Amino acid sequence: MPIRAVLWDIDDTIFDYATADRTGVLEHLRAEGLLDAGGPGAEAVVMGRWREVTEVHWARFEAKEVDFQGQRRGRVREFLGEGASDAEADAWFARYLRHYEAAWALFPDAVPALDGLTPGYRHGVLSNSSNRNQDRKLRVLGVRDRFEVLVCADDLGVSKPEAGAFHAACEALALEPGEVAYVGDRIDIDACGARDAGLTGIWLDRGGVSGELPAGVTGVRRITGLDQLPALLRGDTRFGAPSPIG
C-alpha cells in the first residue's frame, strides 16, 4: 500500500519551539525583574525549572485533567510559587506570550521539505495541543494552507500516542493508516505511536549523530533533518528498498 500522505507534528518538528520558548521566557523574566544578573548559569537554572513545570502541567492537559488554559495557569502558579488568581495567572502568561511569539520561526528545512513532497503527497497535522493555538501558529508562520487537515487532541478527547488520535487524523484525510506516514520529534509518542497505529512512523532526531535507533526500538524510520524526508518516502524504504537513511 503506497504512502499517499504525510501527517506532521508541529512543535520541534517544523516549528522551532525550544528556541522560541527559551527566548520568550528569558526576555519575559528580564522584563518582569525576575532574572538576576547571574549570567548563563542563572539562565540555565531558570529554563530547567520552566521546562520542568511545563512538562508536568502539559502531561495533565494530555491526560484531560485540565483544559488548555488550565495548564497555562498551573505552569504560572507553580513556577512563581504563588497562589495567583486566574486573572493574574492569565495576565502573566499573556505577557510571556508576547515575547514567545516574537521569536516564532520555522526550522529552515521545513518549507523546502514541504516543497519537495508536493504535489506527490498530501499533508495534514496531528498535534497534542489545541486546535485554536496551532491553527493560529501555522497562519502566523505562513504555512497553514499547506495542510489539508489540522487534527488536535483537544477536539478528539484522545492524544498521541493513542492509536485513536492517529486513526482520527487518517480518517480526516479519508485514507487508511497504511497510506500515511507520521513525522515527529518524539520517538515514543510520535514515531512509535504511529507505528503501533499502523502508520509509517518517522522519528526526526535533529542533531542526532549515532545513526541508530535506541536499543529495542524497531519498525520506525529515523532522519536527522527534514531534507532527508523526500528521499526516504520516494525510496519506499518501508518495503525494503535500500536507503542510506537510518
Side-chain angles (χ1 to χ4, degrees), residues 46-213:
V46 166
M47 287 308 305
R49 178 62 178 156
W50 177 251
R51 287 170 182 151
E52 177 185 329
V53 301
T54 296
E55 288 176 5
V56 167
H57 291 278
W58 190 257
R60 295 183 65 217
F61 169 69
E62 290 185 329
K64 309 304 176 189
E65 296 175 10
V66 295
D67 61 15
F68 191 74
Q69 193 66 17
Q71 62 84 22
R72 287 181 165 181
R73 291 168 178 164
R75 287 158 67 186
V76 173
R77 289 171 178 141
E78 187 168 348
F79 181 76
L80 295 178
E82 300 173 359
S85 68
D86 285 354
E88 289 168 338
D90 291 347
W92 194 94
F93 203 91
R95 295 195 297 275
Y96 151 72
L97 282 179
R98 288 196 289 271
H99 297 283
Y100 164 61
E101 294 182 5
W104 279 3
L106 296 168
F107 283 105
D109 58 2
V111 169
L114 287 164
D115 287 343
L117 291 168
T118 304
Y121 299 87
R122 298 166 59 195
H123 299 281
V125 167
L126 172 61
S127 170
N128 273 2
S129 186
S130 77
N131 193 295
R132 179 179 180 182
N133 183 62
Q134 298 296 56
D135 182 79
R136 179 173 176 273
K137 183 184 294 176
L138 292 173
R139 292 184 188 281
V140 170
L141 293 169
V143 293
R144 178 62 184 89
D145 62 349
R146 299 288 191 126
F147 304 102
E148 292 182 34
V149 300
L150 171 60
V151 179
C152 292
D154 66 335
D155 294 329
L156 297 176
V158 294
S159 57
K160 300 178 297 180
E162 295 178 68
F166 292 98
H167 292 165
C170 292
E171 289 171 7
L173 289 166
L175 293 174
E176 296 296 321
E179 298 178 288
V180 181
Y182 189 83
V183 183
D185 67 292
R186 293 280 301 276
I187 193 167
D188 49 357
I189 68 170
D190 291 331
C192 292
R195 174 203 65 194
D196 294 345
L199 292 74
T200 294
I202 302 173
W203 175 37
L204 175 59
D205 180 22
R206 288 193 181 275
V209 295
S210 70
E212 299 177 357
L213 294 171

Side-chain angles (χ1 to χ4, degrees), residues 15-25 96 99-105:
F15 163 62
D16 190 355
Y17 168 80
T19 297
D21 183 52
R22 175 181 174 80
T23 300
V25 168
Y96 151 72
H99 297 283
Y100 164 61
E101 294 182 5
W104 279 3

